[in-house]
Amino acid sequence: MKKLYPSAAEALKGVVKDGQLMAVGGFGLCGIPEALIDALRDSGVQNLSVVSNNAGVDGFGLGKLLETRQIKKMIASYVGENKEFERQYLAGELALEFTPQGTLAERLRAGGAGIPAFFTKTGVGTIIAEGKELREFDGETYVMERSLLPDVSLVKAWRADTSGNLQFRFTARNFNPAVAMAGKICIVEVEEVVELGAMEPDQVHLPGIYVHRIVCNPTPEKRIEKRTITEKAGA
């Protein structure tokens, strides 16, 4: 099965549709699939529900899809860096399902592992638990959370081999593996593609069984959310 595609647009072709549930990897602006997000914007698909740790920033990452009104609902744990997100939400133009960060990661991981639901103490006694099943274990109350099974997952990895085995770097190895596992179709953006066998077994962070399509973007922008510079002593 050929997994390597010549462009992000080609990798999305025939897969993305209006009204889908999509998961997008990354943490802040670190480890986001920049080229795939741009291609998704250019595809013109509408009414997307998007699962992601955050919604990018104004004008970058998922912020681009908010500007074009292609997202109707966000399932996220942090939205503090995006003014357009705030505006749409407060105006009632965007639905939002806030999910604690660890719970969000576990909902994705559970989906990829074939676990339909799990119980957690996180959120008990708050609005997070409203309308959800509560159950007592060993004298403690837990809330049931359903797993997430996105129609499509968009993932960023450092490199892949032609079979789809993935290696991540540093902070990009946060939500991306769980996002990749959960998606019914997983499309991965990488900076380098190598031949099968070129990666050492210990370098494979996610096996290719989860990966359906790969696109190479060797020069991503990798924008920094908030650049901070330490002043030189005595300057």
Side-chain angles (χ1 to χ4, degrees):
M1 176 182 176
K2 181 182 177 182
K3 296 187 177 182
L4 186 61
Y5 283 70
S7 68
E10 287 295 318
L12 296 184
K13 188 176 293 185
V15 173
V16 296
K17 301 174 184 177
D18 292 350
Q20 286 180 321
L21 175 64
M22 307 192 75
V24 181
F27 190 89
L29 296 183
C30 177
I32 64 172
E34 299 174 20
L36 289 172
I37 291 173
D38 285 349
L40 185 61
R41 176 200 58 195
D42 296 342
S43 74
V45 294
Q46 300 290 325
N47 298 317
L48 298 174
S49 295
V50 178
V51 182
S52 185
N53 174 66
N54 63 92
V57 297
D58 295 283
F60 199 71
L62 290 176
K64 293 182 177 182
L65 300 182
L66 289 172
E67 289 181 352
T68 54
R69 305 299 184 86
Q70 289 169 269
I71 299 176
K72 70 173 183 179
K73 178 180 180 179
M74 281 294 306
I75 302 173
S77 63
Y78 178 71
V79 296
E81 301 297 329
N82 196 312
K83 291 183 176 61
E84 178 60 16
F85 186 111
E86 178 186 14
R87 190 200 66 74
Q88 289 186 25
Y89 173 62
L90 294 177
E93 300 169 3
L94 178 71
L96 172 61
E97 182 180 333
F98 262 133
T99 304
Q101 195 164 98
T103 301
L104 182 63
E106 183 63 10
R107 291 179 71 188
L108 289 162
R109 191 204 67 80
I115 300 169
F118 59 91
F119 285 90
T120 176
K121 291 177 67 175
T122 305
V124 172
T126 74
I127 59 173
I128 298 297
E130 290 181 2
K132 298 176 182 177
E133 179 182 345
L134 300 177
R135 191 176 298 185
E136 188 173 296
F137 297 93
D138 302 321
E140 299 284 348
T141 301
Y142 291 75
V143 59
M144 188 180 80
E145 294 283 357
R146 292 295 305 270
S147 62
L148 290 165
L149 290 170
D151 297 302
V152 180
S153 287
L154 305 183
V155 172
K156 172 64 184 294
W158 177 40
R159 64 174 177 167
D161 64 24
T162 51
S163 185
N165 296 307
L166 302 181
Q167 182 178 9
F168 300 93
R169 293 192 75 217
F170 306 120
T171 309
R173 191 183 175 185
N174 41 54
F175 277 88
N176 274 301
V179 167
M181 291 173 62
K184 297 174 184 176
I185 299 291
C186 175
I187 304 174
V188 182
E189 175 182 331
V190 299
E191 296 176 42
E192 181 183 2
V193 179
V194 298
E195 292 300 319
L196 182 62
M199 294 168 60
E200 295 292 332
D202 279 352
Q203 294 175 326
V204 176
H205 298 147
L206 191 78
I209 188 80
Y210 292 106
V211 175
H212 299 87
R213 299 185 177 191
I214 304 166
V215 62
C216 186
N217 176 21
T219 56
E221 182 177 341
K222 297 185 180 181
R223 189 179 299 185
I224 296 174
E225 284 177 80
K226 294 183 178 179
R227 186 182 297 273
T228 57
I229 300 174
T230 301
E231 294 292 337
K232 184 177 180 180

